[in-house]
Amino acid sequence: MQAVRNRDRVVVVGAGVAGLTAAIGLAARGFEVLVLESRARPGGKVRTRDTPAGPVDAGPTVFTMKWVFDRILAAAGTTPEAELAIARAATLARHAWPDGTRLDLFADVERSAAAIAAFSDRRNAEGYRRFCAEAAGIYRTLEASYIAASRPGPFELAARVGAARLPAMLALKPFSTLWSALGTHFTDPRLRQLFGRYATYCGSSPFAAPATLMLVAHVEQAGVWLVEGGMAALAAALARVAERLGVVIRCRTPVAAVTVRGGRAAGVRLADGSELAAGAVVFNGDVSALAAGRLGDLATGLKPVAPPARSLSAVTFAFAGRARGFTPAHHTVLFSDDYRAEFEAIFRRRRVPDRPTVYLCAPDRDDAGRPQTRHAKAPGAAAGERLFCLINAPADGDRRPDDASETERWLDRTLTQAARCGLTLEPAAPPAATTPGDFERLYPATGGALYGRAAHGWMASFQRPGAASRLPGLYLAGGSVHPGPGVPMAALSGWLAAERLAADRASTPRFRPAAISGGTSTA
């Protein structure tokens, strides 16, 4: 098939959250945008699995940093509230330990401090207040200079923060581990374990990740939102908004290669052999796939993330069933007996822990655990309620074959650990499992790593590539690039890719994309 030449078209490879936000940002600036997705629907890592009680989110389940979507959707003349049914959670999560203790954290700092005082003691409650204040300070320092800005190096970050704010720069604690920093706030090992879990939000170990990740506490305090229909509804809304702006999304259209002409990205070749020409390409996928040549021999300057440097993978189980014991909340964490042993098993011995921490999402319950009876499959329905469990695992899905019996053992460990914490989970039918090998097939060349490079050591965040690759015309978006993993950060990466592409193209005489103004644009 003869290639169609269109210099002013941008092809986005991948309809994950980053690809969709890049498409929105580009279309709002006047570009013609075509999004190509290999799977049946948009979403990327935002995906669902079917259960007898209905589909359940089997990827990200937590919606935070709503301001990111406020900003992105404003460029399209809309808001998250106009596109989604969302409610801010008063209870952030319920936490349980094998010793029978439980603790809820709340969106209100003082309410959480009172709960911690009753759970532990006043000293740890005061430590929590100091911890929240420090987390807020770190976030304020990094929001404009790092999170929402183009990728800086360490010296550029220092320059952005400014010499006058040197104390704020030092307060980031890049050379301390999260675990050690938590020891200055909490004497109760259970609380250290609870807040150390924030390292796993970017696929890392609290014993190796920098203390800077304390900022996650502030992100949660600023708002955890429940989305009716789950995170899949968010992906669908982003796709709907993109299409209203004129973006064309073609699913079941795998891309075989990025084509190069004249030393720059010039379009893509599809799996059926046809070619689509474009003035630029945005790749929404893991950079290891590009570096490994999965889309051709491209001069990107990228290198695959070495297996020891990969972030966490996971074993997940989606099922319909019942929960007996204490009442789970929408988000519940069931902690392991020994946190250090858990991460030693994953990152050093490369095995799933014998007693893993279990994350449970119960989408048919509200933030406090009450049944959401407006849902057809609320708790008590014949098939049971929808449930989703996740345990952390090493990203070795490309180095060890799948083993059905091993998956059964992982399920048994998951259910057993939940029971140790006082929650008996009873699947009504065999759960739909996803293993590191499955994640490798879904996201090639990653080994199943879900967050790109692990944030181990102070330089790790600066090793993520920025929006522009070394190949002119090829731009990068997704959780493996700056500013990092997670739904809002991936969304920001797509937005930053659109900004960089537009800035690069604005100087060319043949096409000057319109600036965003009030959600409308003209070419």
Side-chain angles (χ1 to χ4, degrees):
M1 178 177 175
Q2 186 176 2
V4 176
R5 298 192 177 278
N6 189 332
R7 184 184 180 282
D8 297 333
R9 171 195 285 161
V10 178
V11 169
V12 178
V13 181
V17 166
L20 294 171
T21 57
I24 291 170
L26 290 166
R29 289 173 166 89
F31 286 93
E32 176 192 345
V33 185
L34 171 63
V35 180
L36 303 175
E37 169 57 48
S38 62
R39 292 195 281 277
R41 60 183 60 87
K45 288 190 175 75
V46 177
R47 51 191 285 271
T48 61
R49 296 296 303 269
D50 289 331
T51 76
V56 61
D57 278 337
T61 57
V62 183
F63 183 28
T64 59
M65 295 175 69
K66 178 177 162 289
W67 65 265
V68 171
F69 299 94
D70 290 336
R71 179 181 301 180
I72 291 167
L73 294 180
T78 187
T79 66
E81 290 82 359
E83 305 297 334
L84 297 163
I86 58 175
R88 186 171 177 177
T91 303
L92 301 179
R94 184 156 292 158
H95 307 84
W97 285 264
D99 65 3
T101 56
R102 292 190 289 277
L103 174 66
D104 285 1
L105 282 186
F106 303 98
D108 178 79
V109 171
E110 286 305 312
R111 189 179 177 192
S112 290
I116 288 172
F119 171 80
S120 182
D121 55 40
R122 291 183 179 178
R123 180 180 176 186
N124 280 282
E126 183 55 37
Y128 172 73
R129 293 186 181 95
R130 287 187 285 104
F131 169 71
C132 288
E134 187 170 1
I138 292 172
Y139 182 85
R140 283 193 297 269
T141 299
L142 291 178
E143 183 184 60
S145 62
Y146 181 86
I147 294 172
S150 59
R151 175 188 175 275
F155 297 109
E156 187 179 2
L157 175 60
R160 289 179 184 178
V161 172
R165 298 188 65 204
L166 181 60
M169 189 72 181
L170 296 175
L172 298 178
K173 295 185 176 179
F175 306 115
S176 300
T177 66
L178 177 60
W179 190 258
S180 65
L182 291 172
T184 67
H185 295 288
F186 304 107
T187 59
D188 190 321
R190 296 169 300 176
L191 295 172
R192 234 172 141 181
Q193 187 179 29
L194 190 163
F195 296 110
R197 186 173 175 273
Y198 289 152
T200 66
Y201 286 30
C202 60
S204 305
S205 163
F207 302 96
T212 311
L213 291 178
M214 286 193 293
L215 65 82
V216 175
H218 180 72
V219 167
E220 289 196 333
Q221 287 293 336
V224 171
W225 300 79
L226 304 184
V227 182
E228 188 169 344
M231 296 301 282
L234 173 63
L238 292 174
R240 187 169 61 246
V241 169
E243 289 177 328
R244 285 207 303 262
L245 290 174
V247 174
V248 175
I249 301 174
R250 290 172 53 183
C251 293
R252 295 189 175 92
T253 308
V255 172
V258 173
T259 57
V260 178
R261 291 184 179 86
R264 63 176 293 114
V268 296
R269 186 176 73 252
L270 305 182
D272 65 8
S274 61
E275 291 190 5
L276 296 171
V281 176
V282 177
F283 175 69
N284 172 209
D286 198 286
V287 295
S288 286
L290 279 182
R294 297 298 180 97
L295 291 182
D297 185 13
L298 305 173
T300 61
L302 299 170
K303 295 181 180 179
V305 177
R310 290 171 176 167
S311 62
L312 292 167
S313 186
V315 181
T316 69
F317 301 99
F319 57 96
R322 288 180 168 76
R324 293 190 295 105
F326 71 86
T327 299
H330 191 95
H331 302 296
T332 302
V333 183
L334 308 152
F335 281 107
S336 65
D337 310 72
D338 186 336
Y339 222 34
R340 188 178 293 275
E342 181 175 353
F343 287 96
E344 288 278 338
I346 295 170
F347 284 106
R348 294 204 177 185
R349 291 187 284 137
R350 313 300 298 184
R351 55 174 290 181
V352 174
D354 292 334
R355 296 189 173 190
T357 292
V358 178
Y359 165 72
L360 171 69
C361 182
D364 294 322
R365 297 179 181 271
D366 68 9
D367 58 318
R370 296 179 290 264
Q372 299 187 77
T373 54
R374 66 180 180 276
H375 293 151
K377 298 298 184 181
E385 62 182 299
R386 297 174 298 161
L387 298 166
F388 172 74
C389 288
L390 178 151
I391 60 174
N392 294 318
D396 291 337
D398 55 346
R399 303 199 296 172
R400 52 188 299 173
D402 284 341
D403 182 337
S405 63
E406 191 169 43
T407 304
E408 285 294 323
R409 287 196 297 274
W410 293 336
L411 174 61
D412 180 69
R413 291 177 193 179
T414 300
L415 300 181
T416 299
Q417 187 61 27
R420 287 192 185 105
C421 293
L423 188 64
T424 300
L425 301 175
E426 300 173 335
T434 310
T435 67
D438 295 324
F439 285 122
E440 159 66 17
R441 285 183 284 276
L442 288 169
Y443 318 117
T446 65
L450 297 175
Y451 313 86
R453 178 184 295 273
H456 292 166
W458 74 278
M459 277 296 292
S461 294
F462 299 110
Q463 292 175 306
R464 291 178 179 273
S469 76
R470 290 187 186 177
L471 177 65
L474 178 62
Y475 298 84
L476 310 174
S480 65
V481 305
H482 174 79
V487 169
M489 303 291 257
L492 278 172
S493 78
W495 190 254
L496 291 170
E499 283 188 338
R500 178 60 187 269
L501 191 159
D504 288 349
R505 293 288 295 279
S507 61
T508 64
R510 288 188 57 191
F511 184 81
R512 291 180 179 273
I516 293 176
S517 176
T520 61
S521 62
T522 57

